[in-house]
Amino acid sequence: MTPVLEIRRASKSFGSHRVLHEVSFGVDAGEVHALVGENGAGKSTLMNIISGIHRRDAGEILLNGESIDPTDPWQARQLGISVVFQELSLTPNMTVAQNIFVRREPTSALGLVHWRQLNDDARALFERIGIDISPTELVGNYSVGIQQIIEIAKAISFDAKVLIMDEPTSALSESEVDRLFSIIAELKQQGVAIVFISHKLGEVLRIADRVSVLRDGEMVGVVNPSHSNQDEIIHMMVGRSLGDLYPAKGVVSDEILLEVEGLSHPPLFRDISFSLRRGEILGIAGLVGAGRTEVARAIFGADRYSRGSVKLAGIKLDLKSPRQAIEKGIVYLTEDRKVMGLFLSMTMRDNIVSSALARFTDALGLLKHRAIVNESLRAIKQNDIRPRDDLLSMTSLSGGNQQKSLLAKCLSANPKVLIADEPTRGVDVGAKVKIHQALRDLANRGIGVIVISSELPEVLGLSDRVVVFREGHVSAVLDGDNIAQADVMRYAVQ
Amino acid sequence: MHDAQILKSKQSDGVGLLQRFSLETLQIGALALAIVVFAIIVQLNFPVFLSLPNINVMIVNFLPEAIIALGMTIVIITAGIDLSVAGIYPFSAIIVGLLLLAGAPIPLAIIITLAAGAFIGAINAFISNTFRVHPFIATLAILLILRGVNIIITGGSPVSGFPEAFAIVGQRGIDFGTFLLRYSVFIWLALALLIGYLLRNHRFWRLSYFIGGNRRSARMSGVNVERYLYFVYMLSGALAAVAGVIVASQFNAASNSYGQNLELRVITAVVIGGADLNGGAGSVLGSMLGVLFIAMIYNAFAMSGISTYWQDVVVGAMLLASILMGEVLKRRRAN
């Protein structure tokens, strides 16, 4: 059987930098073929070559055995190759149907749109993938998860023979991931060839029929998920295994730094109690929606709570704003770096010192430029942010380096307690390792670190103790070196 | 964290005003209501206010704003802005006048002038596309240049004495005895109906909403955004030229002093009419009501004898109120 889409020995260089070297890859009809690799391994470049954003230097792209040469994503879509990009490409103030069929609306000879036909077409499309979304609703009124599904509906509305999804689950909750996977199963049934690009190996193993691993621009190998495991794939991706991924645990003192007692704010969370010791990494596990972020924001003073108390080094806090929390030494690394954490259009330098400007201003309120430069260069070195140019705008950094900058920003406030919410979301394995190491270094310096993460291996690999949240309350506090994933999961769901 | 959002993402179908109507409908409805209330209040004090002759005066006084607002609406929908219209407007009045004085046939003079307006629009688009300059700056530069050019080519004194037949464009009309319904009003009506209809129903014209709503997504959907912006700014320039030709005919003269602060009045009207400066929202109906509202305020103040300085206070307050209302509606809906 010929694959629907086949890449033969594709190569691509940018200047002297070789990004892809003789990569071959194929996907069959009705198959989910996952593509994994660290950031910079060449996944995006491969996808950009297929969709016509970049021109390959050498090699061939075959669709149903015939050589093709798309020059832009639009043309690739016409040919039957649809890419769902990581960033949503929908227009929030237009309706679902208008978004899906933009530029392809059914029209009269004069170009006037047949609105009823348009909405019927959208409805038929949703029926095909078995979902219930109103075509006439504004896209902006739907959650990001549903928008992602609309995006996929748009992609397949081009009669896609090949559907390429780049990190489709990065913004989805567990239940939305399930929904996405059932849509993928439906499309498989219909013979669509699917390329699934993801950092989340658990999901990859769940959905993929084959997994191809890219490393440094070369295809390292193709594995069959039923005969493989995460450890093996990670090993292929980075050349090291899971065991080495997490830093060695440290020595935790007995001194209690932060004590949360009976914190409640129904219906979001109730009766939350736990303590954090100096030098400890405390993991908070639980499903999305279990109240983890809400509790963190309450401790940080960003949201109110109705009952309970938070003590820092034995002194009761009554924080009314994040500003007061930062002054007391509690900082919060937000889970959404683009929306709440970073000033994307500003430079790395401005971002790094933005939480601690008080430290860098003189009595008149003027900025101490030399001190700012020193601090930003120090932070860049300490956190290994690349490239080492603190006057670059944040937008020009990769996800991993943005995340490291965000961490640097939090640290420049000299915290006693750091709350890191999903600190490695959407970053590649290499950056992940560095962030984990940085968090452990902080703990070793006597800072108390709280890590909230939806990735169980991360919580377990990193934490000294794990607090499990379920539906707004603490269902277990687990201690020790050998906490099993299955145990945490049981407390999180039952 | 966002689970709550997902759950309520669409379980409340058809509850209350807010859900039943689109934001656009609500804003236009509120504006129409404000117009009616204002008209009634003024009418009770000055019975001549809603007489046909006075309504005719209001329309004719704000005809240039109304025509230029048609183009500005589309420009703002694409998340742009066009300040240069206040330069193109007197410029084209002068150009058509000079061409006529030089003996050019009337249709040819008008066509060349409209083409010149479109050409200046193309320059706007070229600058902002090529150098990635915000249209505010690009069109501000062109506005300043044109203001200077207008003085240079006229020497600062009005151009006048056009052929008799040119009067048909902006002076002549149907005589109703108490007032003269000028043909130029029909030009505006035809343009407004046509553009309003196309913006609602035509595939190509609707792309402006996508470009303003999310430029990247428009590009991903295969829209040639740069080329489209040429179209948009050329249309805006050409419509400003239409207004310039009409005013030259109306006064049988062209002066560099036409159109002072016109760009701000037009933008104000379009925003009061529900267009979003961030792009993606706006309508011809809303913009026309916005112009009507401002026209009524100016007219009422002129009639009342209250210091006309107050009219700007009222227009500014109205602008603020409409923006606040838009925000409140948006937030209420998001919850």
Side-chain angles (χ1 to χ4, degrees), chain A residues 115-131:
Chain A
W115 293 113
R116 180 166 305 171
Q117 181 71 43
L118 178 79
N119 292 328
D120 287 349
D121 286 355
R123 235 169 253 127
L125 180 65
F126 292 147
E127 227 159 80
R128 185 182 148 198
I129 54 176
I131 46 172

Side-chain angles (χ1 to χ4, degrees), chain B:
Chain B
M1 52 138 206
H2 296 307
D3 269 7
Q5 258 169 311
I6 294 150
L7 287 176
K8 80 175 160 216
S9 57
K10 214 49 244 169
Q11 46 181 224
S12 50
D13 261 339
V15 210
L17 219 60
L18 215 56
Q19 271 74 30
R20 208 148 0 129
F21 295 106
S22 71
L23 210 64
E24 184 186 313
T25 314
L26 289 172
Q27 272 185 310
I28 290 179
L31 177 57
L33 190 68
I35 287 174
V36 169
V37 170
F38 184 81
I40 290 174
I41 293 171
V42 180
Q43 177 70 14
L44 291 176
N45 293 296
F46 304 99
V48 74
F49 185 64
L50 290 181
S51 67
L52 287 175
N54 191 50
I55 291 175
N56 190 46
V57 166
M58 279 194 257
I59 293 177
V60 171
N61 282 349
F62 272 79
L63 205 59
E65 279 84 349
I67 292 172
I68 293 170
L70 296 171
M72 189 70 80
T73 303
I74 304 180
V75 169
I76 289 180
I77 289 171
T78 63
I81 194 100
D82 186 357
L83 303 178
S84 72
V85 289
I88 298 175
Y89 170 66
F91 177 74
S92 39
I94 293 164
I95 291 295
V96 78
L98 291 177
L99 284 169
L100 290 172
L101 292 180
I106 294 170
L108 183 67
I110 293 177
I111 287 169
I112 292 177
T113 306
L114 299 190
F119 179 72
I120 296 169
I123 296 177
N124 287 329
F126 174 78
I127 298 172
S128 77
N129 281 340
T130 314
F131 306 110
R132 313 230 167 252
V133 179
H134 193 283
F136 183 95
I137 298 300
T139 60
L140 176 63
I142 297 297
L143 168 63
L144 295 175
I145 290 171
L146 283 177
R147 275 193 191 154
V149 167
N150 289 339
I151 298 176
I152 293 165
I153 56 180
T154 57
S157 51
V159 178
S160 61
F162 309 140
E164 181 59 29
F166 184 56
I168 194 164
V169 180
Q171 245 178 68
R172 300 275 163 72
I174 307 168
D175 196 345
F176 282 90
T178 51
F179 68 98
L180 179 77
L181 184 56
R182 287 185 165 88
Y183 297 130
S184 53
V185 173
F186 294 104
I187 298 178
W188 159 65
L189 259 181
L191 285 171
L193 289 174
L194 180 70
I195 294 178
Y197 184 75
L198 290 175
L199 210 45
R200 245 171 210 284
N201 292 305
H202 195 279
R203 176 150 93 186
F204 177 77
W205 289 64
R206 287 197 63 77
L207 286 179
S208 50
Y209 288 96
F210 285 91
I211 290 172
N214 184 344
R215 196 161 163 155
R216 266 198 45 169
S217 108
R219 192 166 282 128
M220 288 294 202
S221 306
V223 181
N224 186 331
V225 174
E226 277 75 25
R227 204 190 309 164
Y228 197 90
L229 292 179
Y230 272 102
F231 159 72
V232 170
Y233 284 88
M234 286 172 75
L235 179 73
S236 176
L239 286 166
V242 169
V245 169
I246 289 174
V247 81
S249 165
Q250 186 183 339
F251 296 127
N252 197 23
S255 158
N256 61 279
S257 66
Y258 289 170
Q260 297 295 325
N261 292 336
L262 169 120
E263 75 283 14
L264 298 181
R265 283 194 298 281
V266 171
I267 293 167
T268 306
V270 171
V271 172
I272 287 179
D276 185 344
L277 281 181
N278 294 319
S283 70
V284 166
L285 177 60
S287 296
M288 292 302 103
L289 289 175
V291 175
L292 174 64
F293 191 65
I294 296 181
M296 282 171 50
I297 290 174
Y298 278 70
N299 185 272
F301 271 97
M303 210 174 274
S304 70
I306 303 172
S307 161
T308 49
Y309 296 124
W310 280 100
Q311 68 199 17
D312 289 334
V313 176
V314 173
V315 172
M318 188 58 205
L319 178 62
L320 214 51
S322 81
I323 294 168
L324 291 181
M325 191 186 77
E327 271 317 301
V328 169
L329 286 177
K330 242 187 254 175
R331 260 177 230 171
R332 289 281 291 279
R333 185 170 278 249
N335 289 331

Side-chain angles (χ1 to χ4, degrees), chain A residues 101-314:
Chain A
F101 294 108
V102 53
R103 276 193 81 212
R104 301 177 294 142
E105 297 94 342
T107 61
S108 66
L110 286 172
L112 301 176
V113 178
H114 297 307
W115 293 113
R116 180 166 305 171
Q117 181 71 43
L118 178 79
N119 292 328
D120 287 349
D121 286 355
R123 235 169 253 127
L125 180 65
F126 292 147
E127 227 159 80
R128 185 182 148 198
I129 54 176
I131 46 172
D132 185 24
I133 294 175
S134 163
T136 54
E137 187 63 43
L138 296 185
V139 163
N141 290 348
Y142 282 116
S143 69
V144 175
I146 293 183
Q147 288 185 19
Q148 184 81 48
I149 286 165
I150 297 169
E151 184 85 44
I152 290 166
K154 179 177 173 182
I156 61 166
S157 72
F158 287 80
D159 250 333
K161 299 179 191 73
V162 182
L163 184 63
I164 303 176
M165 292 188 248
D166 188 9
E167 297 286 349
T169 62
S170 60
L172 303 193
S173 68
E174 306 266 340
S175 67
E176 288 173 325
V177 170
D178 289 343
R179 173 132 58 154
L180 174 70
F181 282 7
S182 74
I183 291 170
I184 290 178
E186 184 64 41
L187 292 173
K188 257 177 79 163
Q189 284 286 314
Q190 295 171 14
V192 179
I194 294 164
V195 180
F196 187 89
I197 298 172
S198 179
H199 282 117
K200 297 186 183 168
L201 294 183
E203 287 173 0
V204 166
L205 290 174
R206 207 175 124 198
I207 193 81
D209 301 308
R210 276 193 288 174
V211 181
S212 282
V213 184
L214 270 177
R215 183 171 72 210
D216 299 332
E218 292 185 47
M219 197 57 87
V220 192
V222 183
V223 298
N224 181 336
S226 49
H227 303 126
S228 183
N229 56 42
Q230 289 202 30
D231 213 2
E232 187 194 359
I233 294 173
I234 288 176
H235 195 78
M236 289 170 76
M237 282 164 67
V238 297
R240 55 183 177 265
S241 68
L242 192 64
D244 314 328
L245 271 176
Y246 295 97
K249 309 232 160 141
V251 185
V252 180
S253 85
D254 289 337
E255 187 189 341
I256 289 181
L257 193 58
L258 185 79
E259 187 155 29
V260 177
E261 263 180 7
L263 210 62
S264 300
H265 193 64
L268 295 175
F269 52 87
R270 40 174 66 88
D271 208 19
I272 303 289
S273 300
F274 60 83
S275 60
L276 172 72
R277 287 171 289 176
R278 195 179 289 281
E280 179 181 41
I281 297 185
L282 179 72
I284 297 188
L287 302 178
V288 172
R292 299 168 305 169
T293 295
E294 288 77 1
V295 169
R297 288 175 57 91
I299 295 173
F300 185 54
D303 292 327
R304 314 306 348 235
Y305 49 89
S306 24
R307 277 194 313 281
S309 70
V310 178
K311 284 185 200 155
L312 182 67

Side-chain angles (χ1 to χ4, degrees), chain A residues 14 51 64 79 96 107 122-123 133 142 146 185 250 279 290 321 334 337 346 352 359 421 423 455 470:
Chain A
F14 294 109
S51 63
N64 287 320
L79 292 169
V96 173
T107 61
R123 235 169 253 127
I133 294 175
Y142 282 116
I146 293 183
S321 68
T334 76
R337 61 175 175 266
M346 295 172 70
I352 287 171
R359 264 175 63 205
D421 198 349
E455 285 182 49
R470 184 180 73 224

Side-chain angles (χ1 to χ4, degrees), chain A residues 415-430:
Chain A
K416 298 190 184 83
V417 173
L418 172 69
I419 307 173
D421 198 349
E422 302 285 0
T424 63
R425 172 182 287 176
V427 311
D428 65 75
V429 177

